């Protein structure tokens, strides 16, 4: 039972354009949502997070949107840069157990 | 400052053997998590420590897996009688706060375990 889903395994975007990565979840007990970026042979690196009481959080080129009624969140990267090419994981924290549940990841490739 | 470190970076072992994987969290971080990542999957929760005690070990797949954090800092994940299906990257993460106040996690580079 996949509680956090990233349905697009890969995405290619032209440099300078917007990258939109999507994530869906099923558990209404999640209170924090996080995005991590992962390069090969490295551990995931925290990118941005959002509390379940908010619907948007912005940090530089990165913005996360949360739609609680749809149980959907998205990460927008604009403008996309070749260095953004990596695997992006969506994660959610269960407010009851404080466990983090990760999606399967989306591989983003930004083309120069 | 130093990030989370994990040793060894790679471990190859034979089926049936015992292995220990070590995690050095960021100094002062209260919470420590272990995850397992298989190819094409996201990190899968194994166990979570608050200080020295395991707050939640519900992700450990069976009793061959055990983890300790005796002094509230370094943690060791122990796997007995390894099986080929245990092959994965084992990730450790630490967080400065635990429980409801914990949020951002800092990950180590992982240990790639291969069971032949």
């Amino acid at each position: 039972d996949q509680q956090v889903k990233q349905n697009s395994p890969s995405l290619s975007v032209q440099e300078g354009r917007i990258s939109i990565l999507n994530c869906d979840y099923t558990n209404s007990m999640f209170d924090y949502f996080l995005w991590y970026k992962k390069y090969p042979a490295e551990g995931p690196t925290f990118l941005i997070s959002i509390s379940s009481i908010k619907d948007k959080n912005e940090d530089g080129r990165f913005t996360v949107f949360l739609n609680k009624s749809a149980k959907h969140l998205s990460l927008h990267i604009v403008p996309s840069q070749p260095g953004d090419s990596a695997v992006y994981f969506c994660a959610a924290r269960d407010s009851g157990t404080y466990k983090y549940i990760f999606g399967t990841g989306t591989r983003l490739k930004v083309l120069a | 400052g130093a990030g989370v470190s994990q040793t060894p970076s790679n471990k190859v072992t034979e089926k049936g053997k015992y292995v220990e994987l070590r995690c050095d969290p960021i100094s002062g971080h209260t919470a420590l998590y272990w995850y397992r990542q298989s190819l094409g999957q996201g990190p899968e929760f194994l166990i979570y420590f608050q200080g020295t005690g395991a707050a939640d070990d519900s992700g450990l797949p069976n009793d061959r897996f055990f983890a300790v954090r005796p002094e509230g800092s370094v943690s060791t994940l122990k796997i007995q009688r390894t099986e080929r299906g245990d092959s994965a990257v084992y990730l450790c993460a630490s967080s400065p706060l635990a429980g409801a106040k914990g949020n951002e996690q800092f990950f180590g580079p992982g240990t790639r375990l291969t069971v032949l």
Side-chain angles (χ1 to χ4, degrees), chain A residues 2 31-34 36 38 41-47 49-51 87 89 93 95 97-105, chain B residues 33 35 37 40-45 48 50 56 58-59 91 95 98-110 112:
Chain A
Q2 194 78 17
D31 66 345
Y32 266 101
F33 301 89
L34 306 92
Y36 285 84
K38 187 182 184 302
E42 295 182 11
T45 303
F46 171 77
L47 205 53
S49 66
I50 188 167
S51 163
V87 177
F89 290 101
R93 189 181 79 168
S95 61
T97 64
Y98 307 125
K99 281 160 54 171
Y100 291 80
I101 310 298
F102 283 75
T104 52
Chain B
Y33 297 76
Y35 294 87
Q37 186 175 14
Q41 301 297 314
E44 174 194 2
F45 170 83
Y48 153 50
Q50 283 193 33
D56 188 328
S58 62
L91 292 163
S95 174
K101 295 180 182 177
N103 187 353
E104 181 180 342
Q105 296 183 315
F106 297 82
F107 280 84
R112 180 175 296 279

Side-chain angles (χ1 to χ4, degrees), chain B residues 16-19 36 60-67 77-86 90 115:
Chain B
K17 299 286 188 182
Y18 168 82
V19 296
R36 177 168 72 175
L60 295 177
N62 50 60
D63 61 7
R64 294 186 299 105
F65 288 75
F66 189 71
L77 178 66
K78 309 180 181 194
I79 311 174
Q80 298 178 318
R81 304 184 304 279
T82 51
E83 298 177 358
R84 291 195 181 89
D86 298 335
Y90 289 81
V115 182

